[in-house]
Amino acid sequence: MGKHRHDDHSHGHTDVPLDALKDKLRAGSRKITGPRQAILDVLRRESHPLTNREILQHLGHEECDLATIYRSMHLLGALGLVRKYDFGDGIARFELVRGDDETHHHHLICTACATVVEIDECFPTALEQTIAAQSGFSKLTHKLEFFGVCPKCQ
Amino acid sequence: MGKHRHDDHSHGHTDVPLDALKDKLRAGSRKITGPRQAILDVLRRESHPLTNREILQHLGHEECDLATIYRSMHLLGALGLVRKYDFGDGIARFELVRGDDETHHHHLICTACATVVEIDECFPTALEQTIAAQSGFSKLTHKLEFFGVCPKCQ
DNA sequence: CTGGTTGCAAACAATTTGCAACCCA
DNA sequence: TGGGTTGCAAATTGTTTGCAACCAG
């Protein structure tokens, strides 16, 4: 609806998601709707995890309903287009999965001003395998976030 | 109230908390009340993080109100007697801090049956310092939990 | 046309809070 | 006695869901 959108096929750089969306959605006989594209657009512009409410604010209440955002995030998450994060405040945050697959990374959040910094240091997968071996568990995953006080807030 | 309680001073083993509680509470001019001791007792018996609601069930609704448990957990957490965990389901869980200080550990949760296994493998503190150095952040902390499918559920 | 989607409002669930009665120190 | 505490109920807030109107394919 009344909002500019990347209908051009001139993919700037890491903008795979739009097409990935179409493919994956089609695979599940789901539809490519306005709200879904709008949400992806918001996520594509932001580099840090967003709250559902934040996504709503970026869109404007007229463009999409909060319930729709919740439902969309479930879907996008299941399709692997979006990843859910937990910053310890009990509010779900979502970030676009840029690379095709394992763009696995973590965040460093300032406990004072909530600034978020991306952490490239990936958690030692070796250790994860050790744990798997010792416990007998399979399909190991982990959630890891760092907290601290950023330079400005110290 | 009509419920047995450890009024005896025969500390079995790792039962520092009871005294630690008294000391720390006194330090803040707080009171050692029945509900607080009862909650600590429950936590002392359990080896895994408990939900506030689970704590309530262990106590019985007559012994302590849910709101009191929430308030107590805030207090106990601030005093460092209890540690809060996040298993990804948006429900806070609390575990007694056994050792005096850094009993820092993590958990491995089965995504099928919710079984919890304690993980001794502590996260490399060295890496945390590297992150601190690179980011300029101070007072680094981290939250880390593992997920997988336990042997029985595979 | 038609089944997946959306908006809106009601339903839920975890957590918080106001306030009068209550109790540890 | 008195200020910290508790119980109870109401209020908040994040998230889910029922349902009729809608729209992409």
Side-chain angles (χ1 to χ4, degrees), chain A residues 77-92:
Chain A
L79 296 181
L81 285 167
V82 146
R83 198 163 289 148
K84 181 182 175 183
Y85 290 98
D86 216 347
F87 283 7
D89 57 359
I91 308 177

Side-chain angles (χ1 to χ4, degrees), chain B residues 121-133:
Chain B
E121 315 290 333
C122 188
F123 181 78
T125 317
L127 207 155
E128 199 170 75
Q129 295 178 339
T130 302
I131 292 175

Side-chain angles (χ1 to χ4, degrees), chain B residues 30-31 33 35-36 64-65 68 71:
Chain B
R30 324 306 283 279
K31 296 175 180 176
T33 68
R36 286 175 185 168
C64 177
D65 186 76
T68 298
R71 283 189 277 232

Side-chain angles (χ1 to χ4, degrees), chain B residues 3-22:
Chain B
K3 198 75 172 289
H4 59 82
R5 193 171 303 136
H6 300 251
D7 291 306
D8 59 304
H9 287 201
S10 60
H11 308 286
H13 18 91
T14 41
D15 294 345
V16 187
L18 192 147
D19 288 323
L21 168 71
K22 296 185 177 177

Side-chain angles (χ1 to χ4, degrees), chain B residues 36 52 65-77:
Chain B
R36 286 175 185 168
N52 279 346
D65 186 76
L66 186 55
T68 298
I69 296 180
Y70 273 98
R71 283 189 277 232
S72 293
M73 300 324 288
H74 275 306
L75 177 62
L76 295 177

